[in-house]
Amino acid sequence: MPQLSRRYIQMAFFNLIWGLTFGALLLYHKGVPLTPLLWRLLPLHIELMLVGWLLQFIMGIGFWIFPRFWRSRGNDTPVRWAFWLLNIGVWLAGLSGVFALPAAIFLAGRIFELASGALFVLYAWRRIKPPGTGEWGKKRGERATSGS
Amino acid sequence: MPILTRLFIKTSFIYLIVALLIGAALVARSVLPLPPWLAGLSPVYFHLLMVGWVTQLIFGVAYWMLPKYSQKQPHGFDGVWWASFWLLNAGVLLRMFAEPMRAAHTGALWGWAVAASAVLQWLAGLAFVFNAWLRTKER
């Protein structure tokens, strides 16, 4: 498993723990009331579970197991950026709900998430390909020819 | 495919069907004379899909596909994996019944059942992350 996948997956686990903890507190409070302030955690719980956990875990696994260009995963710079954008976006959007921050901050979080998703798709698109092809759909022989 | 993976995945399929049935029943309320307590199933519907199906499916596939923990213990700590399976399903099942009952009845019993379901699912998540984290490595 490549280092970048491990980073995605471990951050997904981190978000899962927090998302589950907030969700468990909310559910506990539904059964045995603790404090109504807990309802403020709902947007953060949703953001962490849907984007911070599920989406991020899938992106990490996708980077690991999608078909490679022979042995290489190509230029992974967009995926490195996507990691930071996703996690800043998740916590920005989630915390803006908890602390009732201005809508612009919530929007910024969602734009970060969008940028992250777009970068990941831009990168991963070329790895959804038939076997035995490299970047831009070139066959192994074509690559050698173009290099000579 | 190991037995625990098959259990996770087949159980997740059952939750998927139950969730879709509840989803259909929630919409059918507008055209059929169904009991009003069905409206209380809305959060149950969503969580059966997200926890009972998607999360459980991921747990099962992770147990199977993540890099080996060691040659002697390829899946990590099996007891903890089994605990995550039972805790998750006890929690989801308990919630499925307790949350609508809590909404429909007064009294503390169903409230405590809802709280217990929260603790069970939380422990299941901790058990999963403990094992899966150890297996998130190069090979």
Side-chain angles (χ1 to χ4, degrees), chain A:
Chain A
M1 185 186 286
Q3 189 259 343
L4 192 50
S5 280
R6 299 201 300 274
R7 189 189 291 178
Y8 266 91
I9 292 170
Q10 286 176 338
M11 189 54 102
F13 290 158
F14 176 81
N15 288 333
L16 171 66
I17 290 293
W18 283 109
L20 261 182
T21 302
F22 298 146
L25 279 170
L26 284 165
L27 187 58
Y28 192 101
H29 173 68
K30 262 191 183 179
V32 180
L34 299 170
T35 162
L37 281 175
L38 279 173
W39 283 111
R40 287 188 167 203
L41 292 172
L42 184 61
L44 183 57
H45 164 64
I46 295 171
E47 210 73 26
L48 285 171
M49 293 305 282
L50 287 182
V51 186
W53 153 236
L54 280 178
L55 182 64
Q56 181 153 229
F57 185 80
I58 290 167
M59 286 161 81
I61 295 286
F63 181 76
W64 176 31
I65 67 171
F66 283 158
R68 283 179 279 176
F69 312 116
W70 298 297
R71 295 206 164 188
S72 157
R73 288 185 172 86
N75 178 10
D76 61 13
T77 307
V79 191
R80 292 184 183 279
W81 276 97
F83 172 82
W84 291 109
L85 287 166
L86 187 85
N87 287 291
I88 294 168
V90 163
W91 284 91
L92 216 53
L95 289 174
S96 74
V98 176
F99 297 109
L101 299 176
I105 294 178
F106 184 35
L107 178 63
R110 284 286 163 89
I111 289 172
F112 275 40
E113 290 173 9
L114 169 68
S116 166
L119 281 173
F120 185 82
V121 169
L122 194 73
Y123 162 82
W125 194 274
R126 285 174 295 136
R127 284 185 59 188
I128 310 301
K129 62 185 188 69
T133 52
E135 287 192 78
W136 314 113
K138 285 180 184 169
K139 299 267 185 208
R140 190 184 286 267
E142 289 174 51
R143 185 192 188 202
T145 310
S146 63
S148 61

